[in-house]
Amino acid sequence: MHKLKVGIYSLSSCEGCIVQILNLEERLLEVLNHVDLVECRVLGLKHDDEVDVAFVEGFVSSDEEATKIKEIRGRSRILIALGDCAYSGMRFVAKDFGTSTIRADPINMYVNVDYHLRGCPIDSEEFLSLISDLIHGKKFKESSKTVCSECILLENKCLLDKGFLCLGPITRGGCNAICIANNKGCFGCRGLGDDVNISAFIESLKSKGISIPSYLLGLLKGPGYGSSQNS
Amino acid sequence: MVSMKNPYIPTKAIITHIRNETPDTKTFRIRILDQNEFSFTPGQFIQLSVFGFGEAPFSIAGSTNEKELEITVRRIGTVTGALFRKNVGDIVGVRGPFGKGWPIGLMLRRNILIIAGGLGLAPLRSLVHYIILNREEFGKVYLLYGARTPADLLYKDEFNTWSRYIDLHLTVDKGDNYWKGRVGLVTILLDDVSVDTEDTIALQCGPPIMMHFVSKKLKSLGFPDENIYLSLERLMKCGMGFCGRCTVSGRYVCIEGPVFCYADIKSFIEAIPEAGVEHA
Amino acid sequence: MIKKALRRIYKDKLRLLMGRLSEEYNIFSPKLVEGRIIFDRIDDVSEIINEYHTRPVLPVKKLFLPQRETLFEYEIVDNDVIISDKLDLVAREKRCIFGVRACDIASLQILRRFFSRGPGDPYVIGRLSNSMIIGIMCNSVFPSCFCHFTDSGPLPKDGFDLFLVDVDDYFIAIIGSERGNQIASKNEDIFLDANKDDALAIDNKVKEIVSLMKSPPVVDQMVLYDAFVRSFNLDFWEDYAKKCLSCGKCNFNCPTCYCFDIFDEVDLDLRKGRRVRVWDSCHFLSFTRVASGEIFRRNRSSRLKQRVYHKFVYSVNDIGLISCVGCGRCFEVCPASIDLRDIITKVLCG
Ligand SMILES: Cc1cc2nc3c(=O)[nH]c(=O)nc-3n(C[C@H](O)[C@H](O)[C@H](O)COP(=O)(O)OP(=O)(O)OC[C@H]3O[C@@H](n4cnc5c(N)ncnc54)[C@H](O)[C@@H]3O)c2cc1C
Ligand code: SF4
Ligand code: SF4
Ligand code: SF4
Ligand code: SF4
Ligand code: SF4
Ligand code: FES
């Protein structure tokens, strides 16, 4: 079988998604038996030629990066956006910057994206199943569960019942409710689930007396929240 | 208890022949290993495993008197995509047959009106073969078949043979330069035949929206609900009434269907879109 | 008054009994794990929780139909496939499940009836036949309990080997099966004779628990069935659907929801693979999505109704039993607080 040529590229990011991939350790080595990793800055690999699969992390913060992402798209057969930065331009992490006005464009503003891996950072298991699907010629299917349903499988006590904010009921699963398992509320980094009911969610928070930060309320009520779904 | 057979485990089978039907559809002939026979009723389905990719339900499209079984498959996703990469001699897995097929007992000595849309002809092909093999057991038989384009018509090379035994009518949604036949949805073919609505059993299989309009039309022609049968497609994982995915108003399509009598399901909104109100 | 045979077990003898049973059976019990009470395998009888008032989040169902289960494994070699069944592992394990409440016991009876249909599901049925059930009567109720309404608790009718009722410093042990009877006779030093007042004590305790429950007024189950059938097209369903978040929690922690998905997992070599099943939820849009893209329950109300009607109507048509055991777990965890008792009351009034 022809080995897939794979490149991993970074725009403006914290490199957290790449760390998730490197953390796979032996299992990453196993993947590397089946693909040719030809380009990856942190590993000092440079290629500048055509690839089968390009993984891109980070958002576009300058014209140079806009040119760069177009150039990468031009020489890759399949382009995959890694993480929340790349497909939503840090919509959620933006809260740390307060009202900062830095440019943070998702890459799909500039190029077509074939798949995206959700999350901030991405889930390494999901990365593995995407790679495996690409190697085997399967269509990658992301989780159609909600974070809540994954949370109850872990038999966690619900944070909402304890009066804390958690976006689990409206957020797409696939992370195995990792934040809640670590006692943090879900902050929605994986975007919306299949068929969420945002107004009912806001109502249920109100009835539980849980306040919603205004930036989040704006996001939830605003247009385009959770767009850029995998087709 | 301990000796209970595991119905989730497929039997190994070998692909013995592959025929291209249309650009995205192929017919696979499959022989089940260690099994000399494969008996089924037309309208039943199997669960086919492509190891490494999963399992999916397919109607049995071949003849009841053959030792091997045939399925006609459209490439659409994971399992079908992997099956299309298989060659003659490759191993797959089969469970089944499952479900209830066409009501052959009821159809004997009556006229039969078969209406098929697109891939819906697959489970009706095994019935057509059955009828041809036992032709004297049935009255007049009509087959009305519609596809998107002439290139999408399945089993074209069998049409001549079929026409010698049954009354075959074709239509396409969109013709091409060579197409001289009818153009339009399959319902228009109902205007071309005059059937005795009292003594004819109507059987249909096709996209939900087609079955919706065909059922309406049959009703307006005077067909009693009891004489209309249709085959439903639902998501099916187990095929045995356990996974709960295929239910329509609490009925298990995999065991009670896929063929249902219109009289039994006409009230389920889920069964045929827009067809009235769902009942408990 | 209870007709089954009764014994007495003094509380300080319970661990002794479980210790003896653990020589023959793998013991499962509610257990404290990282601050949560969950049903789990216990290695030492000292892990058995003395606090009978806590109920695990996920019902006992998970020990019979696990969240995730490998149905079989296979290896693709040259042009052949070697399939290895994992069923013998299920058949071989002898288990004793301790601390099961009446509602969960009733749910096992429903799962048994359901998974015995047709060819039978050998995994679920295998585990049910290999598991000894030692139930325990609730000493108090949760705010969501209404098992009296569904006629499934707090005292189970059947489906257990032993059922313990907590009275002062002893349990009254109800013998529910031949297997339970054998355990009692093999351990005569632990199973003492019951007092003639013990049956009455059980009765009183049941009355006391029932009086604590917030349960809709009990009606005949056929009346309930008919009321549901009549209510299918009423407007109030839309009001509930407007509140529902389609999160699926209510399915996953319902003791009688059994729906599942099946898929293959394979290693990168495409050599070794396994077929896996995992729980699924009818509240998800993907539940009815077929390959052509059609989704048969697109409306949120149709999905909510699927769940509720399955419990009270479809299940009766299918296995002759309602499949709600009144545990209230579905609304205990519902972020939208959709209380099934409200729905039932509306349906009965409607
Ligand atoms: C009784 C019965 C008889 C049938 N007979 C035939 C037959 O004779 N011939 C035939 O070709 N087919 C038949 N079918 C349909 C056939 O079973 C499906 O086409 C098959 O299951 C597709 O499997 P797959 O793995 O290839 O596709 P999948 O990979 O499962 O999916 C196919 C498509 O569905 C969509 N999809 C699935 N899951 C998701 C998701 N989570 N998110 C978004 N989109 C999703 C995608 O668009 C995808 O391309 C029958 C079905 C039934 C129930
Ligand atoms: S903690 Fe969050 S994810 Fe978990 S059940 Fe509650 S709302 Fe859902
Ligand atoms: S429907 Fe709700 S109350 Fe009934 S058994 Fe399921 S979780 Fe318990
Ligand atoms: S259909 Fe829904 S309510 Fe019924 S068992 Fe399945 S998940 Fe539970
Ligand atoms: S519903 Fe409540 S009171 Fe009834 S058996 Fe279950 S836990 Fe006990
Ligand atoms: S738990 Fe509540 S909100 Fe979630 S799907 Fe069930 S009814 Fe809807
Ligand atoms: S296919 Fe599993 S219940 Fe019908």
Side-chain angles (χ1 to χ4, degrees), chain C residues 25-254:
Chain C
Y25 297 89
N26 293 336
I27 311 277
F28 294 76
S29 154
K31 172 180 167 182
L32 192 65
V33 181
E34 292 164 15
R36 301 152 308 161
I37 310 273
I38 64 174
F39 267 116
D40 204 358
R41 170 93 190 263
I42 60 165
D43 302 315
D44 190 286
V45 289
S46 67
E47 291 173 85
I48 291 180
I49 299 168
N50 262 331
E51 166 60 272
Y52 308 114
H53 300 274
T54 26
R55 175 174 72 176
V57 178
L58 287 183
V60 77
K61 157 184 93 172
K62 74 171 195 182
L63 299 179
F64 297 87
L65 179 68
Q67 286 179 25
R68 180 194 161 87
E69 166 163 46
T70 298
L71 295 171
F72 58 88
E73 291 175 352
Y74 52 82
E75 197 173 343
I76 304 166
V77 271
D78 301 324
N79 184 30
D80 199 4
V81 180
I82 299 157
I83 299 176
S84 47
D85 198 341
K86 297 280 129 190
L87 197 51
D88 49 333
L89 296 177
V90 172
R92 237 183 284 136
E93 191 191 13
K94 283 179 87 177
R95 308 191 300 176
C96 169
I97 324 259
F98 175 81
V100 192
R101 287 154 188 271
C103 50
D104 272 8
I105 290 176
S107 78
L108 294 181
Q109 292 294 78
I110 289 164
L111 293 180
R112 190 191 311 270
R113 186 88 71 97
F114 178 77
F115 281 109
S116 304
R117 293 144 65 251
D121 184 297
Y123 299 92
V124 180
I125 297 301
R127 291 193 183 99
L128 281 167
S129 3
N130 295 343
S131 300
M132 173 155 73
I133 304 291
I134 303 186
I136 192 146
M137 172 107 112
C138 298
N139 268 356
S140 65
V141 300
F142 300 93
S144 63
C145 294
F146 68 109
C147 59
H148 180 54
F149 177 80
T150 53
D151 199 20
S152 28
L155 187 68
K157 285 197 236 0
D158 47 19
F160 57 89
D161 296 288
L162 297 169
F163 193 77
L164 308 180
V165 183
D166 182 344
V167 184
D168 299 331
D169 57 345
Y170 61 90
F171 295 110
I172 306 167
I174 306 173
I175 312 285
S177 71
E178 184 44 40
R179 184 162 50 190
N181 191 30
Q182 278 171 17
I183 300 288
S185 24
K186 262 195 241 154
N187 298 281
E188 279 181 332
D189 54 330
I190 298 175
F191 286 81
L192 307 180
D193 286 342
N195 186 305
K196 63 175 179 354
D197 297 334
D198 282 349
L200 190 65
I202 295 175
D203 261 16
N204 290 335
K205 179 133 183 174
V206 169
K207 283 198 192 102
E208 179 200 325
I209 298 293
V210 167
S211 73
L212 298 171
M213 257 180 232
K214 274 198 258 147
S215 153
V218 175
V219 294
D220 185 90
Q221 291 197 353
M222 275 330 282
V223 172
L224 185 65
Y225 175 95
D226 289 338
F228 266 101
V229 170
R230 275 199 314 273
S231 308
F232 197 83
N233 293 313
L234 297 185
D235 294 336
F236 67 77
W237 292 109
E238 286 303 330
D239 303 336
Y240 287 112
K242 278 201 192 95
K243 289 175 73 184
C244 172
L245 307 172
S246 299
C247 70
K249 281 172 83 182
C250 50
N251 290 126
F252 285 170
N253 86 334
C254 172

Side-chain angles (χ1 to χ4, degrees), chain C residues 251 256-259 280-282 287 306-307 310-311:
Chain C
N251 290 126
T256 69
C257 273
Y258 52 74
C259 288
D280 209 334
S281 150
C282 62
F287 192 81
Q306 165 63 23
R307 173 168 67 89
H310 189 185
K311 301 299 169 201

Side-chain angles (χ1 to χ4, degrees), chain A residues 58-60 84-89 104-110:
Chain A
F59 52 80
V60 172
D84 190 35
C85 293
Y87 74 81
S88 83
D105 298 341
I107 59 176
N108 48 325
M109 265 179 69
Y110 301 95

Side-chain angles (χ1 to χ4, degrees), chain C residues 278-306:
Chain C
V278 297
W279 291 353
D280 209 334
S281 150
C282 62
H283 273 287
F284 296 154
L285 209 54
S286 55
F287 192 81
T288 59
R289 170 161 37 209
V290 295
S292 57
E294 219 107 21
I295 295 174
F296 293 100
R297 286 183 214 117
R298 196 175 277 283
N299 292 338
R300 194 168 281 119
S301 61
S302 68
R303 302 201 293 277
L304 184 81
K305 282 201 275 188
Q306 165 63 23

Side-chain angles (χ1 to χ4, degrees), chain C residues 146 250 253-256 307 311 323-331 340:
Chain C
F146 68 109
C250 50
N253 86 334
C254 172
T256 69
R307 173 168 67 89
K311 301 299 169 201
S323 59
C324 173
V325 296
C327 69
R329 282 186 174 97
C330 54
F331 48 92
L340 191 55

